[in-house]
Every structure is written in structure tokens, then in C-alpha cells.
Amino acid sequence: MARSHALAQRIPGRYSGQHSVCGWLYRARSDGGQVCGPSQGQVHFPSRASLREHSELRSDNLQVPQLTASSGEDYVNEGATIPEGTMTWSSLTFPAKKIGRIQWATAEILDDSALDLRNIIGQNLIRDASLRFDKDAFTGALTDPIKGIIAQGVTTTLTAGNTVVKYDDLADSVARIEALNGAPSVVWASTDMAAALRKEKASGSGTYQGGSPTDSPASTAWGLPVLTSGHLPAKTVIVADASRLIVGIRRNATLKISEDARFDSDQIGFKLTMRVAGVSIAESASVQIVKAAVS
């Protein structure tokens, strides 16, 4: 539950454009940054007061500029006029979507519980919201409210007979990102492929590539942290340059309690809402998806 505490920080009137997908979801940043907390990656939006003063700016979308083409640079002779360059810009648009849930509990259950049930209900609402966004941020289709990084990245499917993803396949993905001057920083693996990587043995011997099974489980591949996610489809591994991922949070999770709505039945309501604005990739090749063959 500690990883979801960042959701409780309420930061109105801004979007968060983190250098990684949410910290409590993916923990991809080496500095432990979380998507919902203050950081250098936040993209600030006008406050509500500012929006009222400038109605033409009112929008539920986060727009991030994206450079699509550039004329590049060239050498210039001494004393010659430095030529003007050209840059073509577009934008990434994130429509804000609300995640919400209400949970009711009777006053008797709250009074008689040996545990702090109010806190447990609140924490579970936060957890469920984070898990929903976690799932969609990975697997959301291009037509879904939240577009997932699998649909936006570059997918390589291994040839028949290669039924597991191996360290060599990850090395190829790392090289493809580096070829674009990228800096691979994280590996996400489905449950079955994370296990397969840990059990991979050197050719011709019984030596585990990831270290002795009596030691801690292998947690890195080619210097990158390997993170296991149950939300990834089976036989899937992702290698990514997390600095090229943008996560939009329109409003952090807010938990409110009402004792009035069902006053006549002595029930207390717990309402959790948050507004998320999607996940996007600066360049599709910055996220390399490797899928093992079915057989």
C-alpha cells in the first residue's frame, strides 16, 4: 500500500508528465519518482481562476508539443551567414478521463471492527484505481480511453520455436533503442517471461544466467531493472527508454466521505475519484515489445 500513497497528494490544476510511467505502478525511475508527486517532469496547466479569466484556454485536454521533423545542422564557413533551420511541430493530446468508485459501509460495521476499517476502505479504493490505470497504461488499445504503451510501441514477434524471451532478445531491443540515441532504462516482463529469464541457463551447462537460485532472484538484464507485471499479456517483455514516456494526470486521487447521503439508514459513503489523461510515447521505437512464439 505504501506505493499508492502518492495518490493522496492532491495537486489541482496541473498535469503530470513524468519521465516514467507511474512510480507506484512501474517504479521505473532510478530516483524513485512517482507520477502523482511534484517533480521536474510535471507539465503545469493554468489554474481554474486563470481559466475563468481566459475562457479561450478552457480545456479538458493536455497538449504536449511534439517535434516531427527538423532540417538539422550543417557546417558554416567563417564570415558566412548562418542559415535558418526549419522545425515541424505537432502535438500529443491527452483527453482527461475519470476513474471513480463509491463504497458504502454501515455505522455498525465501522464501529465494531477491530481494525481501522475507514482507512482500509480508503486504501483499497486507491489501490483499485491505481491497478485500473496500471492495466490500461500497458494494454489499452488505441481506441480506448487510455492508450497503452504496447499499442504505441514497436513489436517484434520471435520466430516459431522461440517460446520464451531470452537475454539475447533483450540485447537486441536495447540496441534498437540505442540506435536512435535513446537510453534504455527499464524492462517490464509478464509473469511467465520473468520466470523464464530467471531460469535461463548458459548453453551447454546447468549454470543459471541470472545467478545462483540460492541468491536473490535476478533483478537486472543488461544493467536494466527487470520489473514483473501481471497486467502484461503472456509471453511479453518490454524494453523502454522511460524518459520518452509521458503520463498525464489531470487530478490526483481524491477520497471524500459522506455521512449525509444515506442518513436515514445510518450508512457512510466513501468516494474515490481521479482524472487521468493517458500515456504517450515520444517516438514509437523508444518502446520495444518482444513477444515469444506460441509454439
Side-chain angles (χ1 to χ4, degrees):
M1 295 308 301
R3 286 182 289 173
S4 63
H5 286 172
L7 282 169
Q9 303 177 38
R10 194 175 178 189
I11 309 175
R14 69 180 67 172
Y15 281 96
S16 297
Q18 285 295 84
H19 290 199
S20 75
V21 189
C22 297
W24 85 90
L25 304 177
Y26 312 128
R27 300 175 67 92
R29 286 179 52 162
S30 59
D31 62 2
Q34 293 177 313
V35 69
C36 294
S39 79
Q40 296 176 347
Q42 286 182 340
V43 180
H44 293 263
F45 250 47
S47 66
R48 291 300 180 188
S50 175
L51 289 175
R52 286 193 293 270
E53 295 170 3
H54 304 86
S55 59
E56 70 275 13
L57 296 177
R58 187 181 299 275
S59 174
D60 290 330
N61 292 331
L62 165 65
Q63 288 188 315
V64 179
Q66 182 182 40
L67 180 64
T68 58
S70 173
S71 61
E73 304 294 340
D74 205 347
Y75 298 102
V76 180
N77 293 327
E78 180 181 356
T81 301
I82 298 176
E84 295 183 7
T86 59
M87 293 184 181
T88 303
W89 293 89
S90 64
S91 64
L92 301 173
T93 301
F94 298 77
K97 302 295 181 181
K98 182 189 292 185
I99 296 175
R101 184 69 67 191
I102 293 178
Q103 180 67 47
W104 296 95
T106 63
E108 290 80 3
I109 289 178
L110 297 176
D111 289 343
D112 299 340
S113 174
L115 302 175
D116 185 358
L117 195 56
R118 289 174 179 261
N119 183 61
I120 292 173
I121 291 173
Q123 290 296 328
N124 275 289
L125 286 171
I126 292 174
R127 176 181 179 274
D128 288 345
S130 68
L131 289 176
R132 175 56 192 264
F133 188 40
D134 184 12
K135 179 179 183 295
D136 292 344
F138 275 127
T139 61
L142 294 178
T143 56
D144 288 343
I146 300 299
K147 300 177 179 63
I149 61 175
I150 291 179
Q152 300 176 66
V154 175
T155 299
T156 300
T157 301
L158 302 182
T159 56
N162 296 293
T163 57
V164 297
V165 177
K166 299 183 178 181
Y167 287 108
D168 286 354
D169 302 314
L170 302 187
D172 293 337
S173 296
V174 167
R176 285 192 288 268
I177 295 175
E178 291 174 337
L180 300 174
N181 293 323
S185 57
V186 63
V187 175
W188 291 299
S190 59
T191 305
D192 56 343
M193 291 301 96
L197 287 171
R198 291 174 181 174
K199 294 185 288 186
E200 183 178 337
K201 297 179 180 179
S203 178
S205 74
T207 304
Y208 286 96
Q209 298 278 46
S212 171
T214 58
D215 296 331
S216 299
S219 58
T220 61
W222 304 111
L224 308 179
V226 178
L227 309 179
T228 306
S229 174
H231 290 314
L232 282 178
K235 294 183 175 293
T236 302
V237 177
I238 300 174
V239 181
D241 178 351
S243 70
R244 308 304 290 166
L245 303 183
I246 298 173
V247 178
I249 301 293
R250 187 63 181 92
R251 174 167 54 78
N252 285 341
T254 303
L255 182 64
K256 294 184 178 181
I257 300 175
S258 172
E259 298 184 0
D260 303 325
R262 295 187 178 180
F263 184 78
D264 57 349
S265 59
D266 206 13
Q267 296 185 62
I268 292 83
F270 299 80
K271 182 183 71 174
L272 185 287
T273 60
M274 67 180 295
R275 295 181 70 203
V276 296
V279 182
S280 190
I281 306 170
E283 311 87 15
S284 60
S286 294
V287 173
Q288 296 286 327
I289 301 103
V290 183
K291 297 186 70 67
V294 176
S295 60

